[in-house]
Amino acid sequence: MELALFDFDHTVTTCDTYGRFLRRVATAEQLAQAWWKIGPWLAAYKLKLISAERIRARVTRLTFRDRHSDDIATLAAGFSREFLPDVVRPEMLEQIRWHKEQQHTVVIVSGSLDLYLRPWCEQLGLQLICNRLESQDGRLTGRYADGDCGPRKVDHIRRQFDLSRYVRIHAYGDSSEDKPMLALAHERWFRGKPLK
């Protein structure tokens, strides 16, 4: 048995899908306030003063807190259907399909949301480890249900899979958050290039 682990944003796709999903679901008021509520945080992130985990937590809280979970789920289904096919890298889709043809277990491991990743993964027969939004009484809290899995990908992988059962592990990633996941693998690809 072999296991193939794929990061999603910037690895399988050409862009950050989470940021684009946030812009799609943000209300007009949230968009109007984005510059002064999120702008300084984005600048700090680009300057590497704060982590991806911290910026994700802030924008997630500001965008989703007190929103109706059914409304967001409907928007997410449309986003998965209409947007994702246009940003998936053809060569990565081909690599995923190759692993599937070899009967490998293929898993998307992402800091993005299950609301739009799950339909895409189900269509391709892939397993999924990613963030889920917490909800109470039909409304979102603005927090992740199990904390941000982005920096804890390896913990989630180990909880879901007994790695000793796999004779070979393949991993594909593009960021520092992916490096611990890549370290689990026999064959590692970083930003499209094999690592020794």
Side-chain angles (χ1 to χ4, degrees):
M1 293 198 334
E2 298 193 26
L3 178 67
L5 306 166
F6 287 83
D7 168 58
F8 193 69
D9 286 352
H10 293 288
T11 299
V12 172
T13 68
T14 58
C15 64
D16 168 40
T17 62
Y18 192 46
R20 283 164 174 78
F21 179 64
L22 291 171
R23 284 194 289 280
R24 179 177 277 208
V25 302
T27 64
E29 181 182 0
Q30 287 171 336
L31 289 171
Q33 296 173 354
W35 176 247
W36 60 274
K37 281 193 170 181
I38 298 171
W41 284 69
L42 284 174
Y45 170 68
K46 288 182 179 179
L47 292 169
K48 300 190 185 307
L49 299 174
I50 63 170
S51 66
E53 180 181 13
R54 286 189 66 200
I55 190 75
R56 264 196 309 268
R58 180 159 180 87
V59 297
T60 297
R61 186 171 54 256
L62 291 171
T63 305
F64 295 113
R65 186 176 48 212
D66 209 31
R67 303 281 300 274
H68 287 282
S69 52
D70 288 345
D71 293 345
I72 298 300
T74 299
L75 292 168
F79 182 80
S80 180
R81 188 175 55 252
E82 298 156 15
F83 181 77
L84 293 186
D86 292 337
V87 298
V88 169
R89 296 176 191 271
E91 68 275 16
M92 293 308 292
L93 190 55
E94 186 178 318
Q95 191 67 24
I96 288 169
R97 287 184 171 142
W98 179 84
H99 282 291
K100 290 288 292 175
E101 288 166 6
Q102 308 309 306
Q103 305 296 311
H104 299 168
T105 300
V106 182
V107 189
I108 297 296
V109 186
S110 175
S112 291
L113 291 179
D114 67 329
L115 291 171
Y116 64 84
L117 286 178
R118 189 164 306 287
W120 187 83
C121 287
E122 286 174 353
Q123 187 178 42
L124 294 170
L126 311 178
Q127 296 191 44
L128 177 62
I129 294 172
C130 68
N131 283 324
R132 295 180 306 111
L133 294 175
E134 179 183 77
S135 66
Q136 294 175 352
D137 302 320
R139 288 190 177 266
L140 299 170
T141 65
R143 295 185 299 267
Y144 294 124
D146 300 310
D148 186 353
C149 102
R152 297 171 193 83
K153 290 181 177 183
V154 168
D155 294 339
H156 287 268
I157 292 164
R158 288 188 186 280
R159 264 200 306 268
Q160 193 162 325
F161 299 98
D162 176 0
L163 299 182
S164 67
R165 295 179 60 220
Y166 296 93
V167 295
R168 198 143 201 82
I169 299 173
H170 311 259
Y172 303 80
D174 78 293
S175 72
S176 59
E177 280 189 351
D178 298 322
K179 288 183 177 177
M181 178 177 79
L182 295 176
L184 295 175
H186 303 95
E187 293 189 26
R188 302 178 281 276
W189 293 75
F190 188 74
R191 297 181 181 164
K193 294 186 167 72
L195 294 177
K196 300 296 180 198

